[in-house]
Amino acid sequence: MSIFNQKSKFKVKTEVRAVKKTLPEKPKPKPTSAPPSTSRIPSSVRASPSTTSTPRASPLPPSARKSQIGSSRYLDPSSALKAPSSSTSSNSRKRPRASHSPASPSFDSDSDSDSASDDDWQDQLDPRKRLKRLEQLRRHDPNRRVRHPKMWKGDRESEGELLPIIHAVEVASLSEKCQPVMGLSRDEVGVRLRYPGSNHREKYELVKGKDKIEGAQDILTVVRHVASIYLSEEEARPFLDQNSGIYRRLERCKNLNDGKGFKEALKEYSESLFALQRKGVIAKNLENMRGVPQELVAFILDQVYDRTVAPKVELLAKYENGTDNVYGELLHPFISDIFERTQLTSDMVFVDLGSGVGNVVLQAALEIGCESWGCEMMENACNLADAQKREFAARCRLWGVAPGKVHLERGDFRKNEPILESLKRADVVLVNNQAFTSQLNDNLVNMFLDLKIGCKIVSLKTFVHDNKLAENDVASSILDVEHLTYPEEYVSWTGAAGTYCISTRK
């Protein structure tokens, strides 16, 4: 995907040349040395990923992440329970995700000039250039309306409605055994973060803990997204100026462990954004948008996941082995690719059969703006999905973006009436049937008889097989199947590439 921006990441062989220079002095054969560090290389582009390791690198950090993002259930939950490595933005906890966006720009790090091309370096320093490049690659949906109808427009008559969000401080704080960062004392870690769509600010503590949200990095990512996406180039200059911009000051203070300077820069950010909100600038700019960048989609979904699912992710391990009820996730980049291939738009209907905690359903609603349905029968997954739906609705208002309508159903999708009715109108159906029994796959084929002509069915296993059994005759007569390959780091249960199918209803 375009956001990986992988062009020049393999120039680490400069270290290998240094090794060769020592060979004439020591002709004795040496054991193969460990490969150079890949800390700056997204896991999605590493040469030899383990096929059993959890796919995880630094998403925006996310989104997610991670970002962020998707999930459709069924597969080994053990991968989903491995603690992720530290993220460069939302620091999503206990969630396997592939790297789906570059890390936030680091102004004070000593990066190797050989590790990136000139264009990559320019993009690192100027997030707006990178976002413009990404947006040029996305389809334009003229029917999409991004601005949330209930966003706070800066009206002086109303200070804005308090939103029922889960604050970061509720999952990452001193009371959660986290430690202060940037040289701050325990009574200095509290801050509030302003978002573009509301006058309601989120409570953070500038702390760090294992598998916890890293408040300072989360704040940095929010500031970067606000300035890069919500503002014009002129409006964004005080935030993104490479010499004196607010983002650079925040980044520098974080790197230098200057907590007080970080808080002062954050205060200036809040005041500057508040002034723009009062003038109606944010509402006006959102009104003209016709899509939400994938980077922002992944980050919002990661924020939702980190505050609802991650603290209780161990519940997803409670499944019945050998049945259809096994949990696994399709990650944000994979889902975005699916949306592109199926040409899903905001006036269409998306259905996820076996929707787990609802990540894919939420991603379709936010990234595409379409009517989005999901059905899940695992009780724990359903409870977490409901929690995500509530947080998703509140957080979309916080960001000022309007998602499509979200419908999450409980129970067996073969018997759920709202789901059966939605299938008749569906334009794209997702079925993560990697671990489905043959009986359930046959039941699905019979359900596909009710799909409208041209509906796309995305599955990890084909419903049409070479051996022409009676059950498969139905599938071959109603489906045209295209076999495709997804790259590494696209699913939660393995870092390896794999295959999937897009079937079209004849």
Short mmCIF file of all heavy atoms in Angstrom, two decimals, residues 12-71:
data_model
loop_
_atom_site.label_atom_id
_atom_site.label_comp_id
_atom_site.label_asym_id
_atom_site.label_seq_id
_atom_site.Cartn_x
_atom_site.Cartn_y
_atom_site.Cartn_z
N VAL A 12 20.08 -0.66 4.05
CA VAL A 12 20.85 -0.98 5.24
C VAL A 12 22.11 -1.75 4.91
O VAL A 12 22.92 -2.02 5.76
CB VAL A 12 19.99 -1.80 6.21
CG1 VAL A 12 18.91 -0.94 6.77
CG2 VAL A 12 19.43 -3.01 5.50
N LYS A 13 22.33 -2.16 3.66
CA LYS A 13 23.51 -2.92 3.30
C LYS A 13 24.80 -2.10 3.44
O LYS A 13 25.88 -2.61 3.20
CB LYS A 13 23.37 -3.46 1.89
CG LYS A 13 22.34 -4.58 1.81
CD LYS A 13 22.40 -5.29 0.50
CE LYS A 13 21.43 -6.48 0.49
NZ LYS A 13 21.46 -7.21 -0.77
N THR A 14 24.69 -0.83 3.76
CA THR A 14 25.90 -0.05 4.02
C THR A 14 26.68 -0.65 5.17
O THR A 14 27.90 -0.59 5.20
CB THR A 14 25.52 1.39 4.36
OG1 THR A 14 24.53 1.39 5.37
CG2 THR A 14 24.98 2.11 3.14
N GLU A 15 25.98 -1.29 6.13
CA GLU A 15 26.65 -1.92 7.24
C GLU A 15 27.41 -3.16 6.77
O GLU A 15 28.44 -3.53 7.30
CB GLU A 15 25.64 -2.29 8.32
CG GLU A 15 24.99 -1.05 8.94
CD GLU A 15 24.03 -1.43 10.03
OE1 GLU A 15 24.48 -1.97 11.04
OE2 GLU A 15 22.84 -1.17 9.84
N VAL A 16 26.88 -3.83 5.76
CA VAL A 16 27.54 -5.03 5.25
C VAL A 16 28.85 -4.67 4.60
O VAL A 16 29.84 -5.38 4.70
CB VAL A 16 26.62 -5.74 4.24
CG1 VAL A 16 27.31 -6.95 3.65
CG2 VAL A 16 25.32 -6.14 4.92
N ARG A 17 28.94 -3.54 3.90
CA ARG A 17 30.18 -3.12 3.28
C ARG A 17 31.27 -2.92 4.33
O ARG A 17 32.43 -3.22 4.10
CB ARG A 17 29.96 -1.84 2.49
CG ARG A 17 29.12 -2.02 1.23
CD ARG A 17 29.30 -0.84 0.30
NE ARG A 17 28.82 0.40 0.90
CZ ARG A 17 27.57 0.84 0.76
NH1 ARG A 17 26.69 0.14 0.07
NH2 ARG A 17 27.21 1.97 1.32
N ALA A 18 30.89 -2.38 5.49
CA ALA A 18 31.87 -2.17 6.56
C ALA A 18 32.45 -3.50 7.02
O ALA A 18 33.62 -3.61 7.34
CB ALA A 18 31.23 -1.42 7.72
N VAL A 19 31.66 -4.54 7.04
CA VAL A 19 32.12 -5.87 7.45
C VAL A 19 33.11 -6.41 6.43
O VAL A 19 34.13 -7.00 6.76
CB VAL A 19 30.93 -6.83 7.60
CG1 VAL A 19 31.43 -8.23 7.88
CG2 VAL A 19 30.04 -6.35 8.72
N LYS A 20 32.84 -6.21 5.15
CA LYS A 20 33.72 -6.74 4.11
C LYS A 20 35.12 -6.16 4.21
O LYS A 20 36.09 -6.80 3.86
CB LYS A 20 33.11 -6.45 2.74
CG LYS A 20 31.89 -7.31 2.44
CD LYS A 20 31.35 -7.00 1.06
CE LYS A 20 30.14 -7.89 0.78
NZ LYS A 20 29.57 -7.61 -0.55
N LYS A 21 35.24 -4.93 4.67
CA LYS A 21 36.55 -4.30 4.75
C LYS A 21 37.47 -5.01 5.74
O LYS A 21 38.67 -4.93 5.65
CB LYS A 21 36.40 -2.83 5.15
CG LYS A 21 35.76 -1.98 4.06
CD LYS A 21 35.62 -0.56 4.54
CE LYS A 21 34.97 0.30 3.46
NZ LYS A 21 34.78 1.69 3.92
N THR A 22 36.92 -5.71 6.69
CA THR A 22 37.74 -6.39 7.69
C THR A 22 38.15 -7.78 7.24
O THR A 22 38.99 -8.40 7.88
CB THR A 22 36.98 -6.50 9.01
OG1 THR A 22 35.85 -7.35 8.81
CG2 THR A 22 36.50 -5.14 9.47
N LEU A 23 37.58 -8.28 6.16
CA LEU A 23 37.86 -9.65 5.75
C LEU A 23 39.32 -9.89 5.38
O LEU A 23 39.88 -10.93 5.73
CB LEU A 23 36.94 -10.03 4.59
CG LEU A 23 35.47 -10.16 4.97
CD1 LEU A 23 34.64 -10.53 3.75
CD2 LEU A 23 35.28 -11.18 6.07
N PRO A 24 40.01 -8.98 4.66
CA PRO A 24 41.41 -9.23 4.32
C PRO A 24 42.29 -9.37 5.56
O PRO A 24 43.25 -10.11 5.56
CB PRO A 24 41.80 -7.99 3.51
CG PRO A 24 40.52 -7.52 2.94
CD PRO A 24 39.51 -7.78 3.99
N GLU A 25 41.96 -8.69 6.64
CA GLU A 25 42.76 -8.77 7.84
C GLU A 25 42.49 -10.06 8.62
O GLU A 25 43.35 -10.55 9.32
CB GLU A 25 42.45 -7.57 8.75
CG GLU A 25 42.74 -6.24 8.08
CD GLU A 25 42.32 -5.10 8.95
OE1 GLU A 25 41.98 -5.33 10.13
OE2 GLU A 25 42.34 -3.95 8.45
N LYS A 26 41.31 -10.58 8.46
CA LYS A 26 40.94 -11.80 9.17
C LYS A 26 40.32 -12.78 8.19
O LYS A 26 39.11 -12.89 8.08
CB LYS A 26 39.95 -11.47 10.30
CG LYS A 26 40.54 -10.57 11.36
CD LYS A 26 39.54 -10.31 12.48
CE LYS A 26 40.14 -9.42 13.55
NZ LYS A 26 39.18 -9.18 14.66
N PRO A 27 41.15 -13.47 7.44
CA PRO A 27 40.64 -14.36 6.40
C PRO A 27 39.90 -15.56 6.95
O PRO A 27 39.21 -16.25 6.23
CB PRO A 27 41.91 -14.78 5.66
CG PRO A 27 43.01 -14.62 6.68
CD PRO A 27 42.63 -13.44 7.49
N LYS A 28 40.08 -15.84 8.22
CA LYS A 28 39.41 -17.00 8.79
C LYS A 28 37.90 -16.83 8.69
O LYS A 28 37.36 -15.78 9.07
CB LYS A 28 39.80 -17.15 10.25
CG LYS A 28 39.19 -18.38 10.92
CD LYS A 28 39.67 -18.47 12.36
CE LYS A 28 39.04 -19.68 13.07
NZ LYS A 28 39.49 -19.78 14.48
N PRO A 29 37.20 -17.85 8.17
CA PRO A 29 35.73 -17.73 8.03
C PRO A 29 35.08 -17.45 9.37
O PRO A 29 35.46 -18.02 10.39
CB PRO A 29 35.33 -19.11 7.48
CG PRO A 29 36.57 -19.66 6.88
CD PRO A 29 37.71 -19.13 7.68
N LYS A 30 34.12 -16.55 9.30
CA LYS A 30 33.37 -16.20 10.52
C LYS A 30 31.96 -16.72 10.42
O LYS A 30 31.41 -16.84 9.33
CB LYS A 30 33.32 -14.68 10.69
CG LYS A 30 34.68 -14.06 10.95
CD LYS A 30 34.51 -12.57 11.16
CE LYS A 30 35.83 -11.93 11.47
NZ LYS A 30 35.70 -10.47 11.70
N PRO A 31 31.33 -17.00 11.57
CA PRO A 31 29.91 -17.39 11.54
C PRO A 31 29.09 -16.24 11.00
O PRO A 31 29.47 -15.07 11.11
CB PRO A 31 29.59 -17.64 13.04
CG PRO A 31 30.93 -17.84 13.70
CD PRO A 31 31.92 -17.03 12.91
N THR A 32 27.98 -16.57 10.39
CA THR A 32 27.10 -15.54 9.84
C THR A 32 26.66 -14.60 10.94
O THR A 32 26.16 -15.04 11.97
CB THR A 32 25.86 -16.18 9.19
OG1 THR A 32 26.34 -17.09 8.19
CG2 THR A 32 24.98 -15.13 8.56
N SER A 33 26.86 -13.34 10.72
CA SER A 33 26.49 -12.35 11.74
C SER A 33 25.02 -12.03 11.67
O SER A 33 24.36 -12.28 10.67
CB SER A 33 27.29 -11.06 11.54
OG SER A 33 27.02 -10.54 10.28
N ALA A 34 24.52 -11.48 12.75
CA ALA A 34 23.10 -11.11 12.77
C ALA A 34 22.87 -10.00 11.77
O ALA A 34 23.74 -9.17 11.54
CB ALA A 34 22.72 -10.63 14.17
N PRO A 35 21.72 -9.95 11.16
CA PRO A 35 21.43 -8.88 10.20
C PRO A 35 21.40 -7.55 10.88
O PRO A 35 21.19 -7.46 12.09
CB PRO A 35 20.04 -9.27 9.67
CG PRO A 35 19.45 -10.10 10.75
CD PRO A 35 20.58 -10.83 11.36
N PRO A 36 21.61 -6.50 10.12
CA PRO A 36 21.56 -5.16 10.72
C PRO A 36 20.21 -4.91 11.36
O PRO A 36 19.21 -5.51 10.98
CB PRO A 36 21.79 -4.22 9.52
CG PRO A 36 22.44 -5.09 8.48
CD PRO A 36 21.92 -6.46 8.71
N SER A 37 20.22 -4.00 12.30
CA SER A 37 18.97 -3.66 12.99
C SER A 37 17.92 -3.19 12.02
O SER A 37 18.18 -2.44 11.10
CB SER A 37 19.23 -2.54 14.01
OG SER A 37 18.04 -2.07 14.54
N THR A 38 16.69 -3.61 12.23
CA THR A 38 15.58 -3.21 11.36
C THR A 38 14.64 -2.27 12.08
O THR A 38 13.48 -2.17 11.74
CB THR A 38 14.79 -4.45 10.90
OG1 THR A 38 14.33 -5.15 12.06
CG2 THR A 38 15.63 -5.37 10.05
N SER A 39 15.18 -1.58 13.08
CA SER A 39 14.30 -0.74 13.88
C SER A 39 13.65 0.36 13.08
O SER A 39 12.59 0.84 13.44
CB SER A 39 15.11 -0.12 15.04
OG SER A 39 16.16 0.68 14.53
N ARG A 40 14.28 0.76 11.96
CA ARG A 40 13.68 1.82 11.16
C ARG A 40 12.95 1.26 9.95
O ARG A 40 12.51 1.99 9.10
CB ARG A 40 14.76 2.80 10.70
CG ARG A 40 15.37 3.58 11.83
CD ARG A 40 16.40 4.53 11.33
NE ARG A 40 17.37 3.87 10.47
CZ ARG A 40 18.45 4.47 10.01
NH1 ARG A 40 18.68 5.72 10.33
NH2 ARG A 40 19.30 3.83 9.23
N ILE A 41 12.88 -0.07 9.86
CA ILE A 41 12.23 -0.68 8.71
C ILE A 41 10.90 -1.27 9.13
O ILE A 41 10.85 -2.06 10.06
CB ILE A 41 13.11 -1.81 8.12
CG1 ILE A 41 14.49 -1.24 7.76
CG2 ILE A 41 12.46 -2.44 6.92
CD1 ILE A 41 15.46 -2.28 7.27
N PRO A 42 9.79 -0.89 8.52
CA PRO A 42 8.50 -1.46 8.88
C PRO A 42 8.54 -2.97 8.77
O PRO A 42 9.17 -3.51 7.86
CB PRO A 42 7.53 -0.84 7.86
CG PRO A 42 8.22 0.40 7.42
CD PRO A 42 9.68 0.11 7.46
N SER A 43 7.87 -3.66 9.70
CA SER A 43 7.88 -5.12 9.66
C SER A 43 7.28 -5.65 8.38
O SER A 43 7.54 -6.78 7.97
CB SER A 43 7.09 -5.67 10.86
OG SER A 43 5.77 -5.22 10.81
N SER A 44 6.48 -4.84 7.70
CA SER A 44 5.86 -5.29 6.47
C SER A 44 6.85 -5.42 5.34
O SER A 44 6.52 -5.99 4.31
CB SER A 44 4.76 -4.31 6.06
OG SER A 44 5.30 -3.02 5.91
N VAL A 45 8.07 -4.89 5.49
CA VAL A 45 9.02 -5.00 4.40
C VAL A 45 10.25 -5.79 4.79
O VAL A 45 11.23 -5.82 4.07
CB VAL A 45 9.46 -3.60 3.91
CG1 VAL A 45 8.29 -2.84 3.37
CG2 VAL A 45 10.17 -2.81 5.00
N ARG A 46 10.26 -6.42 5.94
CA ARG A 46 11.39 -7.23 6.31
C ARG A 46 11.44 -8.48 5.45
O ARG A 46 10.43 -9.06 5.10
CB ARG A 46 11.31 -7.60 7.79
CG ARG A 46 11.50 -6.37 8.69
CD ARG A 46 11.32 -6.68 10.14
NE ARG A 46 11.35 -5.43 10.90
CZ ARG A 46 10.99 -5.37 12.17
NH1 ARG A 46 10.60 -6.43 12.81
NH2 ARG A 46 11.04 -4.21 12.80
N ALA A 47 12.66 -8.94 5.23
CA ALA A 47 12.85 -9.97 4.23
C ALA A 47 12.35 -11.33 4.67
O ALA A 47 11.83 -12.10 3.87
CB ALA A 47 14.33 -10.07 3.87
N SER A 48 12.50 -11.66 5.95
CA SER A 48 12.18 -13.03 6.35
C SER A 48 11.33 -13.06 7.60
O SER A 48 11.77 -13.42 8.68
CB SER A 48 13.48 -13.82 6.59
OG SER A 48 14.27 -13.82 5.45
N PRO A 49 10.09 -12.65 7.51
CA PRO A 49 9.24 -12.66 8.70
C PRO A 49 8.88 -14.08 9.07
O PRO A 49 8.75 -14.95 8.24
CB PRO A 49 7.99 -11.87 8.25
CG PRO A 49 7.95 -12.09 6.78
CD PRO A 49 9.37 -12.21 6.32
N SER A 50 8.71 -14.31 10.34
CA SER A 50 8.28 -15.62 10.79
C SER A 50 6.83 -15.82 10.43
O SER A 50 6.00 -14.95 10.56
CB SER A 50 8.46 -15.72 12.31
OG SER A 50 7.78 -16.82 12.81
N THR A 51 6.53 -16.98 10.01
CA THR A 51 5.14 -17.24 9.64
C THR A 51 4.26 -17.48 10.84
O THR A 51 3.07 -17.66 10.73
CB THR A 51 5.07 -18.47 8.72
OG1 THR A 51 5.66 -19.59 9.40
CG2 THR A 51 5.79 -18.22 7.42
N THR A 52 4.88 -17.50 12.02
CA THR A 52 4.08 -17.72 13.21
C THR A 52 4.10 -16.53 14.16
O THR A 52 3.39 -16.52 15.13
CB THR A 52 4.59 -18.96 13.98
OG1 THR A 52 5.97 -18.74 14.31
CG2 THR A 52 4.44 -20.21 13.14
N SER A 53 4.92 -15.56 13.86
CA SER A 53 5.01 -14.42 14.76
C SER A 53 3.86 -13.46 14.54
O SER A 53 3.29 -13.39 13.48
CB SER A 53 6.34 -13.69 14.55
OG SER A 53 6.37 -13.17 13.25
N THR A 54 3.55 -12.73 15.60
CA THR A 54 2.48 -11.75 15.48
C THR A 54 2.91 -10.59 14.61
O THR A 54 3.95 -9.99 14.83
CB THR A 54 2.11 -11.20 16.87
OG1 THR A 54 1.73 -12.29 17.69
CG2 THR A 54 0.99 -10.20 16.77
N PRO A 55 2.15 -10.24 13.57
CA PRO A 55 2.54 -9.11 12.73
C PRO A 55 2.37 -7.81 13.48
O PRO A 55 1.27 -7.47 13.87
CB PRO A 55 1.56 -9.19 11.55
CG PRO A 55 0.38 -9.92 12.09
CD PRO A 55 0.91 -10.85 13.14
N ARG A 56 3.44 -7.12 13.72
CA ARG A 56 3.32 -5.87 14.46
C ARG A 56 4.55 -5.02 14.22
O ARG A 56 5.66 -5.49 14.36
CB ARG A 56 3.20 -6.18 15.96
CG ARG A 56 3.15 -4.92 16.82
CD ARG A 56 1.82 -4.29 16.73
NE ARG A 56 1.72 -3.20 17.67
CZ ARG A 56 1.62 -1.93 17.29
NH1 ARG A 56 1.61 -1.62 16.04
NH2 ARG A 56 1.51 -1.00 18.19
N ALA A 57 4.35 -3.83 13.81
CA ALA A 57 5.45 -2.88 13.78
C ALA A 57 4.91 -1.59 14.32
O ALA A 57 3.97 -1.59 15.07
CB ALA A 57 5.96 -2.71 12.36
N SER A 58 5.45 -0.48 13.94
CA SER A 58 4.90 0.76 14.41
C SER A 58 3.96 1.30 13.38
O SER A 58 4.37 1.68 12.31
CB SER A 58 6.01 1.77 14.69
OG SER A 58 6.83 1.91 13.59
N PRO A 59 2.66 1.30 13.67
CA PRO A 59 1.71 1.88 12.74
C PRO A 59 1.84 3.39 12.77
O PRO A 59 2.93 3.87 12.84
CB PRO A 59 0.37 1.41 13.27
CG PRO A 59 0.62 0.73 14.55
CD PRO A 59 2.07 0.77 14.82
N LEU A 60 0.76 4.13 12.75
CA LEU A 60 0.86 5.58 12.70
C LEU A 60 1.96 6.07 13.51
O LEU A 60 2.53 7.08 13.20
CB LEU A 60 -0.37 6.21 13.31
CG LEU A 60 -1.59 6.09 12.50
CD1 LEU A 60 -2.62 7.04 13.01
CD2 LEU A 60 -1.33 6.36 11.13
N PRO A 61 1.61 5.46 14.38
CA PRO A 61 2.65 5.17 15.33
C PRO A 61 3.65 4.38 14.63
O PRO A 61 4.01 3.83 14.11
CB PRO A 61 1.99 4.31 16.37
CG PRO A 61 0.62 3.91 15.80
CD PRO A 61 0.38 4.94 14.72
N PRO A 62 -0.09 4.62 14.59
CA PRO A 62 -0.39 4.18 14.74
C PRO A 62 0.14 4.06 14.20
O PRO A 62 -0.41 4.11 14.41
CB PRO A 62 -1.53 4.19 15.32
CG PRO A 62 -2.43 4.51 15.54
CD PRO A 62 -1.70 4.64 15.22
N SER A 63 -2.63 2.40 13.38
CA SER A 63 -3.69 2.51 13.03
C SER A 63 -2.85 2.72 12.65
O SER A 63 -2.67 2.53 13.53
CB SER A 63 -4.05 2.53 13.67
OG SER A 63 -4.99 2.69 13.71
N ALA A 64 -3.17 1.77 15.32
CA ALA A 64 -3.43 1.18 14.88
C ALA A 64 -2.53 1.35 14.52
O ALA A 64 -3.43 2.41 14.57
CB ALA A 64 -3.48 1.58 15.14
N ARG A 65 -3.20 1.65 15.38
CA ARG A 65 -3.15 1.65 15.17
C ARG A 65 -3.40 1.87 14.32
O ARG A 65 -3.96 1.52 13.91
CB ARG A 65 -3.00 1.81 15.14
CG ARG A 65 -3.97 1.40 15.46
CD ARG A 65 -4.24 0.68 17.13
NE ARG A 65 -3.96 1.07 17.12
CZ ARG A 65 -4.08 1.11 17.35
NH1 ARG A 65 -4.40 0.77 17.42
NH2 ARG A 65 -5.31 0.93 17.69
N LYS A 66 -3.51 1.38 14.62
CA LYS A 66 -3.10 0.80 14.18
C LYS A 66 -3.31 0.74 13.91
O LYS A 66 -3.71 -0.07 15.22
CB LYS A 66 -3.28 0.66 14.40
CG LYS A 66 -4.39 0.13 13.91
CD LYS A 66 -4.65 0.93 14.29
CE LYS A 66 -4.14 0.16 15.15
NZ LYS A 66 -4.82 -0.64 15.38
N SER A 67 -4.01 0.99 11.27
CA SER A 67 -4.04 1.37 12.21
C SER A 67 -4.92 0.86 11.81
O SER A 67 -5.16 0.00 12.24
CB SER A 67 -5.29 0.66 11.90
OG SER A 67 -4.70 1.66 12.09
N GLN A 68 -5.69 0.32 11.90
CA GLN A 68 -5.66 0.45 12.59
C GLN A 68 -6.44 -0.59 12.37
O GLN A 68 -6.68 -0.49 12.91
CB GLN A 68 -5.42 0.31 12.00
CG GLN A 68 -5.58 0.29 12.39
CD GLN A 68 -5.54 0.04 13.10
OE1 GLN A 68 -5.79 0.25 13.50
NE2 GLN A 68 -5.38 -0.24 13.25
N ILE A 69 -6.72 -1.67 11.16
CA ILE A 69 -7.28 -1.48 11.57
C ILE A 69 -8.07 -2.41 11.41
O ILE A 69 -8.63 -2.50 11.58
CB ILE A 69 -7.85 -1.19 11.76
CG1 ILE A 69 -9.06 -1.18 12.14
CG2 ILE A 69 -8.44 -0.37 11.41
CD1 ILE A 69 -8.81 -0.84 11.74
N GLY A 70 -8.20 -3.31 10.82
CA GLY A 70 -9.49 -3.95 10.75
C GLY A 70 -9.52 -5.21 11.55
O GLY A 70 -8.54 -5.65 12.08
N SER A 71 -10.69 -5.79 11.63
CA SER A 71 -10.74 -7.10 12.22
C SER A 71 -11.99 -7.80 11.81
O SER A 71 -13.07 -7.23 11.79
CB SER A 71 -10.69 -7.02 13.74
OG SER A 71 -11.95 -7.21 14.30
#
